Amino acid sequence: MKVLSGRAFAALTLLLILPRAAVGQDSTATPRHLLSLELSRLQPFHRAYDMIIRTADSAIVIGARDLTFTSSEYSGSPAWLLVETRTGLVPAAESLYLAPDFRPLHLSSSLGLSRLGLEFVGDSIYGVATTPAGRQNVVAIGRTDLVVSESMVELLLPLLPLTPAWSDSVGVLEVGAVSHTVWPGELAVIGEENVSTDSVAARPSWVVGLRSSERMVLYWMARDSGEILQVRQALPPGLNAGRELEFRLRVPPATAAPDPRH
């Protein structure tokens, strides 16, 4: 695999980190829709991924991605904390606090001089996005089926009652450099595959798509453990760095068995 140049990596990272803070919003009164979650499955974890750009004839490593989920506190109350870091030529970080019932509490992310912070209070979302191009206030109405970051989807999938025909709706707000836009989304199982990572034996996996009318992100989730083995999404046509971004799980080195002579 090759290594991506600095300018292309910077453009790609800005595209995929800052604009992907996602929340749900409705401007009209609608029934409160709840995702069916099995919260007893929530468990701390740590996962490491390679970040890869796939072009027509090559796979280009652009950095590493680290995802950690731990128990924590927020404003003095029990909470979960999901932290994502991306290393490479343009480091980035994102942290998300969740209440025990999976309600988002606070989201913050950084990329170079760009910052995003969102606070979730009742049914309202308040925040600020700042970039070298300027600052915008984010004010939105929350939804009970919202997801608030791309990495939150990876945490969400193992809690859902997935079947070959399963699907459900979510609402998504993209926060960009100067605006935020709402679009309706859908999570749906679109297939089953056997997936191998780092030459490990193939594992049966659900293939789940987060999609709207114009875009899709694909997740490969191991059926036995709920681990997200791969994430893929197409890159916009105007970005010449490549055609597809992939996160591929790194399998930890096997621990040597103890010597029975000791």
Side-chain angles (χ1 to χ4, degrees):
M1 292 185 180
K2 298 183 289 183
V3 177
L4 195 64
S5 67
R7 178 175 296 181
F9 182 86
L12 175 67
T13 308
L14 180 61
L15 172 71
L16 295 170
I17 294 284
L18 186 62
R20 293 302 183 210
V23 299
Q25 178 182 9
D26 250 322
S27 58
T28 59
T30 58
R32 295 173 66 85
H33 171 245
L34 290 169
L35 293 167
S36 179
L37 303 177
E38 182 52 66
L39 295 177
S40 64
R41 298 177 188 171
L42 281 172
Q43 297 292 335
F45 64 77
H46 171 248
R47 298 172 191 155
Y49 295 83
D50 287 319
M51 296 174 58
I52 301 167
I53 291 295
R54 296 199 172 276
T55 63
D57 56 2
S58 65
I60 308 169
V61 176
I62 64 171
R65 176 181 185 249
D66 193 87
L67 200 61
T68 303
F69 183 60
T70 59
S71 59
S72 184
E73 289 187 354
Y74 188 75
S75 297
S77 298
W80 292 101
L81 174 60
L82 180 63
V83 176
E84 177 181 359
T85 58
R86 303 188 188 191
T87 60
L89 298 177
V90 183
E94 180 180 278
S95 62
L96 169 65
Y97 285 92
L98 294 160
D101 63 0
F102 213 70
R103 288 181 298 105
L105 299 172
H106 177 81
L107 173 70
S108 62
S109 65
S110 64
L111 171 68
L113 297 177
S114 299
R115 298 289 186 273
L116 173 67
L118 296 176
E119 198 77 19
F120 304 85
V121 182
D123 290 334
S124 299
I125 302 151
Y126 305 97
V128 175
T130 59
T131 71
R135 167 192 172 111
Q136 66 154 314
N137 293 325
V138 178
V139 179
I141 300 172
R143 280 174 45 158
T144 53
D145 59 0
L146 61 85
V147 290
V148 302
S149 71
E150 211 169 81
S151 59
M152 183 181 171
V153 178
E154 299 175 51
L155 182 61
L156 180 72
L157 291 181
L159 310 180
L160 294 166
L162 302 184
T163 65
W166 180 90
S167 66
D168 211 336
S169 61
V170 291
V172 176
L173 168 65
E174 289 186 0
V175 180
V178 296
S179 65
H180 50 275
T181 304
V182 177
W183 52 268
E186 180 189 38
L187 281 170
V189 173
I190 61 175
E192 300 178 55
E193 289 185 12
N194 291 326
V195 177
S196 61
T197 56
D198 284 1
S199 300
V200 173
R203 300 166 66 181
S205 304
W206 294 114
V207 185
V208 182
L210 172 60
R211 58 192 176 189
S212 71
S213 59
E214 298 180 353
R215 70 200 70 191
M216 177 181 290
V217 183
L218 295 176
Y219 302 84
W220 281 259
M221 188 193 82
R223 296 184 62 171
D224 57 353
S225 66
E227 289 179 292
I228 304 302
L229 306 179
Q230 295 179 35
V231 182
R232 291 186 184 181
Q233 59 182 297
L235 298 176
L239 187 60
N240 295 323
R243 298 191 308 178
E244 188 176 61
L245 173 70
E246 176 181 342
F247 303 144
R248 178 175 287 268
L249 181 68
R250 292 177 178 173
V251 177
T255 303
D259 190 333
R261 296 171 296 178
H262 297 286

